[in-house]
């Protein structure tokens, strides 16, 4: 039926009210692991309320990012602090509501290495077990948790992580009359920098690199100050340096990934899409269009490639890449 001047449009005041679908319940969790000698052991928790065995997870607090919630829930349910290394997968299923209906639930899972801590029974969890992945499969109560474990096993637990950040907002280049290398963050950019200051330490960075731009250095300066890490200035991560020799920029990123501990690299919008695309193409990793909003983060996971190397050990290749458009969004 077409809509005319004399007929109310569907959804108008003469129609029966239609209930909006329930908003999804957002949650986050992690495959918490430790070195078991013969391979990784993962933590499973028993919840007496449901009499089930699952991976640690829980609902997001208002305004909380998935990464923050995953770390918080791991601590609350297991007693262990942890260091994130990469996003694993997103799981969708439905949960019962108090009105008898069901609501969609969306859970983001990360890989997290256990740090300090001791388990103690609490209101939600009365038992924790460290199990090899093959043992954990037989213990988990839900198929979707087994799928998360499968995603965890797709890459070695010990992988190299680089957090590739585009600098936060610094206004328009056309409106800045001074030396562009000295263009500072705006107030909105400082808010983005504060959000990154909260997010990036969850991944345990041990090194920080920046293009020679004040706005890049200011974006990561609060993290460097807190962690007492110097910022290494790398011209190849600037637009003019990278575009002059992209192969050298890719080689530098691989050398950064091969260093000790996770790294943060702050670069520019003229660098990041091409750099990530080249890393992905060389590894045969399909990514599609590579976005790069100001204040965004690419979590790049590198693993050893047994098919290449120079005799001193396996070369690194990009194994996974996950994008966070804006920590304030």
């Amino acid at each position: 039926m077409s809509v005319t001047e004399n007929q109310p449009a569907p959804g108008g005041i003469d129609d029966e009210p239609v209930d909006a679908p329930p908003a999804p319940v957002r949650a986050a969790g992690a495959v918490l692991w430790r070195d078991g000698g013969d391979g990784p052991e993962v933590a499973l928790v028993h919840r007496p309320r449901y009499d089930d065995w699952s991976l640690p997870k829980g609902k997001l607090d208002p305004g909380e990012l998935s990464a923050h919630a995953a770390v918080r829930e791991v601590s609350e349910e297991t007693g262990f602090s942890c260091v994130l290394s990469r996003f694993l997968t997103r799981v969708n299923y439905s949960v019962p509501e108090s009105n008898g209906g069901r609501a969609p639930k969306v859970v983001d899972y990360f890989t997290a290495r256990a740090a300090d801590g001791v388990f103690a029974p609490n209101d939600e969890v009365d038992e924790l077990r460290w199990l090899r992945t093959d043992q954990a499969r037989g213990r988990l109560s839900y198929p979707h948790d087994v799928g998360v474990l499968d995603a965890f096993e797709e890459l070695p637990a010990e992988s190299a992580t680089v957090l590739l950040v585009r600098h936060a907002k610094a206004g328009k280049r056309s409106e800045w009359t001074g030396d562009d290398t000295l263009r500072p963050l705006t107030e909105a950019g400082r808010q983005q920098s504060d959000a990154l200051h909260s997010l990036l330490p969850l991944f345990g960075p041990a090194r920080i690199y920046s293009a020679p731009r004040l706005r890049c250095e200011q974006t990561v300066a609060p993290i460097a100050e807190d962690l007492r890490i110097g910022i290494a200035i790398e011209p190849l991560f600037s637009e003019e340096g990278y575009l002059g020799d992209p192969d050298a920029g890719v080689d530098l990123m691989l050398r950064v990934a091969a260093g000790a501990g996770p790294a943060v690299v702050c670069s520019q919008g003229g660098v990041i899409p091409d750099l990530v695309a080249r890393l992905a193409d060389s590894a045969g990793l399909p990514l599609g269009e590579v976005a790069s909003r100001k204040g965004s983060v690419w979590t790049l996971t590198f693993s050893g490639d047994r098919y290449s190397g120079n005799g001193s050990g396996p070369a690194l290749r990009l194994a996974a890449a996950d994008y966070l458009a804006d920590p304030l969004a």
Side-chain angles (χ1 to χ4, degrees), residues 61-76:
D61 288 337
E64 190 176 38
L65 292 176
S66 293
H68 289 103
V71 171
R72 176 180 54 76
E73 288 292 336
V74 163
S75 176
E76 291 176 0

Side-chain angles (χ1 to χ4, degrees), residues 115-138:
D116 296 333
V118 176
F119 173 74
N122 54 71
D123 291 342
E124 295 185 53
V125 176
D126 63 353
E127 188 176 353
L128 178 147
R129 292 189 185 179
W130 292 98
L131 301 172
R132 298 192 314 268
T133 53
D134 60 323
Q135 296 171 323
R137 274 191 176 79

Side-chain angles (χ1 to χ4, degrees), residues 3-57:
V3 177
T4 70
E5 286 185 316
N6 297 319
Q7 294 171 330
I13 57 174
D14 292 340
D15 280 357
E16 291 293 326
V18 178
D19 292 335
V25 177
R26 292 293 310 279
V31 176
L32 181 68
W33 70 278
R34 69 182 185 184
D35 187 358
D38 295 330
E41 295 177 336
V42 299
L44 270 56
V45 295
H46 181 260
R47 301 180 300 174
R49 178 182 176 185
Y50 305 103
D51 190 22
D52 62 8
W53 285 94
S54 65
L55 301 168
K57 69 178 184 299

